[in-house]
């Protein structure tokens, strides 16, 4: 178990990489391109970036403050900082529930990456026409055995890393994997923009056409920004509690958000030029990288190699994120339930798999089982991105902006007065007024229009 004095990450860069690893994930490489595709491209991207700057970074900073100040898990953090108002612990419990929900549907798509690594390595992805590729994707996702097997393998790998601990497992694995991920994605970008006809994809991504926007894309952009930055659930309360007392929280959160946004944009550059170059449809939805990209690989030189690189990239991104999801639950079990790290990781993983079975089967045998007209998988995805993450974010900003004394917030951001925090006024104004009001509007709009 982590000794209190040795709690957490060993350096600032280690903390940034681990947290950026948690943020950068399927949300950036699988979800981001398809929502950009469905919402018309550049104008959506612009809105997404605005949300990150205006709401994303302040919410992220708020979570990190709660974590580092309390030095506790999601629930313990609120007990420590609000000892007289136990109700705040409910916010921590909500975060834990959200972690279970996200991990259970996330692990389905994470499992698919393993299947696609195998398919691309043994050449089965190559030499197929678009209809055959679509057929392969649907018969794989609709079956039960293989998707479930890959899902549990992925959950198992995640559990092993988490059992190894914060420094030796999480920090070490992410410091190896993240640079590799950056390298692989840059390779993919270069390949994509050097294809003949790539300009159309670049234009789609960067030349804004505001007529394509509507209220719905506005809300989708916010949900995507929150999901991608891993905020609104308290993941960064847990990672925040591992950040050293001497590190600068503002620059740390800027680096995390910057890395996340960079990888999202790079994924767009890796995917859209290739999609347009081969005359494929950018609006195909969640199957974009699994159905459209294999066609792209099929029609390019060394396609098989690029397919292998791409799906490994996707698996790495997913793994560093599932690690962060599991760690949130595990730290709570270690500190509150006094379980050992191993017991916590194994039992939570099993529980997540049990819920995850429903998500996997919702592509096959349980396809007809609908909640509000959505399959279990779609329901969990929408429920978290559209409702629970904004609600969590609202509660975190109220906690920082209205509950915690202003002097405490200042003290934490300035490391006890050692750092200059010239931005404090703006930050405080955003978390106290702008963010809660904006989030409230978003949540109410969602409830009314859905
Ligand atoms: N941000 C990750 C991604 O983009 C997913 C994720 C990990 C997440 N931890 C989270 C999302 C916590 C919300 C909250 O793939």
């Amino acid at each position: 178990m982590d000794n209190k004095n040795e709690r957490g990450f060993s350096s600032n860069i280690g903390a940034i990489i681990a947290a950026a690893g948690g943020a950068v994930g399927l949300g950036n490489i699988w979800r981001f391109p398809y929502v950009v595709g469905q919402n018309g491209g550049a104008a959506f991207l612009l809105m997404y970036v605005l949300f990150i700057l205006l709401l994303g970074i302040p919410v992220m900073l708020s979570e990190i403050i709660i974590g580092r100040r309390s030095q506790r898990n999601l629930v313990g953090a609120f007990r420590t900082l609000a000892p007289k108002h136990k109700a705040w612990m409910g916010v921590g419990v909500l975060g834990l529930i959200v972690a279970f929900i996200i991990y259970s549907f996330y692990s389905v798509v994470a499992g698919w990456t393993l299947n696609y690594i195998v398919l691309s390595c043994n050449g089965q992805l190559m030499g197929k026409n678009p209809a055959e590729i679509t057929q392969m994707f649907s018969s794989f996702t609709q079956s039960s055995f293989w998707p479930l097997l890959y899902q549990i393998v992925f959950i198992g790998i995640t559990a092993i890393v988490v059992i190894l601990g914060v420094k030796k497992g999480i920090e070490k694995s992410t410091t190896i994997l993240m640079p590799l991920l950056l390298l692989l994605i840059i390779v993919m970008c270069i390949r994509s923009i050097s294809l003949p006809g790539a300009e159309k994809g670049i234009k789609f991504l960067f030349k804004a056409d505001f007529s394509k926007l509507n209220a719905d894309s506005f809300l989708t952009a916010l949900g995507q920004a929150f999901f991608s930055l891993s905020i609104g659930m308290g993941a960064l309360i847990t990672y925040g509690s591992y950040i050293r007392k001497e590190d600068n929280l503002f620059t740390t959160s800027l680096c995390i958000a910057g890395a996340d946004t960079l990888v999202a944009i790079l994924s767009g550059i890796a995917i859209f030029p290739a999609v347009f170059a081969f005359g494929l449809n950018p609006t195909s939805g969640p199957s974009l990288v699994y159905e459209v990209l294999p066609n792209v690989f099929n029609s390019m030189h060394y396609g098989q190699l690029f397919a292998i690189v791409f799906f490994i990239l996707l698996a790495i991104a997913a793994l560093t994120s599932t690690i962060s999801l599991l760690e949130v639950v595990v730290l709570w079990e270690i500190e509150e339930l006094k379980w050992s790290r191993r017991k916590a990781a194994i039992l939570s993983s099993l529980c997540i798999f049990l819920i995850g079975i429903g998500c996997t089967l919702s592509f096959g045998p349980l396809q007809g089982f609908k909640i509000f007209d959505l399959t279990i998988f779609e329901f969990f995805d929408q429920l978290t991105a559209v409702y629970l993450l904004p609600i969590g974010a609202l509660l975190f900003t109220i906690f920082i902006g209205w509950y915690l004394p202003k002097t405490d917030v200042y003290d934490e951001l300035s490391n006890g007065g050692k750092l200059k925090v010239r931005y404090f006024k703006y930050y405080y104004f955003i978390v106290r007024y702008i963010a809660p009001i904006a989030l409230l509007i978003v949540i109410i709009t969602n409830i009314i229009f859905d």
Side-chain angles (χ1 to χ4, degrees):
M1 214 175 106
D2 301 333
N3 181 311
K4 265 268 118 50
N5 299 324
E6 292 175 0
R7 180 198 180 87
F9 299 126
S10 56
S11 65
N12 191 216
I13 184 77
I16 291 171
I17 294 181
V24 172
L26 295 171
N28 304 60
I29 307 173
W30 161 71
R31 204 174 188 280
F32 176 79
Y34 90 71
V35 294
V36 171
Q38 285 179 328
N39 288 279
F44 181 85
L45 176 64
L46 192 70
M47 208 157 56
Y48 171 80
V49 173
L50 279 179
F51 277 137
I52 292 207
L53 293 175
L54 192 70
L55 293 175
I57 294 172
V59 172
M60 177 181 279
L61 203 48
S62 307
E63 285 192 31
I64 295 180
I65 292 174
I66 298 172
R68 196 178 67 168
R69 189 140 191 98
S70 64
Q71 297 284 298
R72 286 285 181 284
N73 66 86
L74 202 44
V75 178
F78 287 98
R79 182 179 336 89
T80 309
L81 298 180
K84 295 208 193 77
H85 300 96
K86 292 263 182 329
W88 278 108
M89 277 161 57
V91 179
V93 175
L94 176 71
L96 287 174
I97 297 171
V98 177
F100 275 97
I101 301 179
I102 294 182
Y103 194 1
S104 63
F105 78 81
Y106 201 85
S107 57
V108 178
V109 185
W112 294 353
T113 64
L114 299 182
N115 177 56
Y116 274 74
I117 292 176
V118 173
L119 289 179
S120 44
C121 283
N122 67 19
Q124 272 172 280
L125 223 47
M126 307 310 290
K128 296 215 160 41
N129 64 36
E132 287 167 333
I133 285 175
T134 302
Q135 165 63 25
M136 204 162 79
F137 176 76
S138 38
S139 65
F140 166 67
T141 53
Q142 283 167 16
S143 64
S144 310
F145 179 76
W146 287 105
L148 285 174
L149 183 77
Y150 283 119
Q151 184 181 22
I152 193 138
V153 169
F154 207 99
I155 290 176
I157 299 172
T158 307
I160 292 171
V161 177
V162 168
I163 289 171
L164 290 173
V166 176
K167 286 195 191 66
K168 291 206 194 89
I170 301 176
E171 189 176 343
K172 196 160 176 195
S173 63
T174 45
T175 4
I176 299 168
L177 294 173
M178 290 306 286
L180 186 63
L181 179 138
L182 204 59
L183 180 80
L184 296 181
I185 199 155
I186 290 172
V187 169
M188 291 298 300
C189 286
I190 295 173
R191 174 70 266 205
S192 178
I193 44 182
S194 60
L195 291 166
E199 326 74 61
K200 271 200 235 121
I202 296 287
K203 236 189 227 149
F204 178 75
L205 194 59
F206 295 112
K207 199 161 172 290
D209 173 2
F210 290 95
S211 67
K212 289 193 182 137
L213 288 182
N214 55 37
D216 211 32
S217 32
F218 194 75
L219 300 173
T220 310
L222 183 88
Q224 173 61 24
F226 278 28
F227 186 83
S228 185
L229 291 175
S230 296
I231 56 178
M233 180 205 104
L236 288 157
I237 292 183
T238 296
Y239 274 24
S241 79
Y242 296 149
I243 297 179
R244 299 177 313 167
K245 283 288 185 189
E246 65 264 38
D247 293 341
N248 183 332
L249 295 186
F250 184 60
T251 52
T252 302
S253 57
L254 284 186
C255 290
I256 301 168
D260 188 70
T261 311
L262 177 73
V263 174
I265 293 174
L266 288 177
S267 323
I269 299 177
I271 290 166
F272 290 115
V275 167
F276 278 89
F278 293 104
L280 298 163
N281 188 356
T283 63
S284 62
S287 63
L288 183 70
V289 308
Y290 291 96
E291 274 180 38
V292 176
L293 276 191
N295 290 308
V296 173
F297 297 131
N298 250 317
S299 30
M300 66 197 205
H301 295 301
Y302 304 108
Q304 185 174 4
L305 187 67
F306 284 101
I308 298 173
V309 169
F310 179 80
F311 289 110
I312 290 180
L313 166 76
L314 206 54
I316 292 176
L319 179 63
T320 52
S321 296
T322 49
I323 291 171
S324 84
L325 287 163
L326 182 61
E327 179 63 18
V328 171
V329 180
V330 164
L331 184 69
W332 166 69
E333 289 159 342
I334 292 176
E335 289 186 349
E336 305 287 315
L337 310 181
K338 310 289 175 215
W339 289 2
S340 71
R341 183 167 270 281
R342 176 187 295 263
K343 173 176 168 191
I346 294 174
L347 288 185
S348 334
S349 297
L350 284 176
C351 176
I352 283 153
F353 180 61
L354 283 181
I355 313 173
I357 292 176
C359 298
T360 291
L361 298 186
S362 74
F363 287 90
L366 294 181
Q367 222 165 23
F369 179 78
K370 298 273 169 80
I371 312 167
F372 297 115
D373 227 19
L374 300 167
T375 65
I376 303 174
F377 180 95
E378 292 164 344
F379 177 69
F380 279 5
D381 178 25
Q382 292 288 312
L383 179 69
T384 48
V386 177
Y387 295 98
L388 298 179
L389 297 179
I391 290 176
L394 172 68
L395 296 169
F396 297 146
T397 52
I398 292 177
F399 188 76
I400 291 287
W402 296 89
Y403 186 82
L404 210 62
K406 188 175 177 180
T407 45
D408 285 18
V409 178
Y410 186 85
D411 186 68
E412 198 55 39
L413 283 174
S414 64
N415 293 354
K418 287 196 209 74
L419 298 174
K420 280 215 180 69
V421 275
R422 276 193 221 99
Y423 61 86
F424 187 75
K425 264 206 316 261
Y426 308 107
Y427 165 71
Y428 204 71
F429 185 73
I430 292 180
V431 284
R432 200 169 155 88
Y433 302 105
I434 311 254
I437 294 172
L439 288 166
L440 212 57
I441 295 176
V442 166
I443 295 161
I444 293 173
T445 320
N446 275 335
I447 294 175
I448 295 175
F449 290 102
D450 248 16

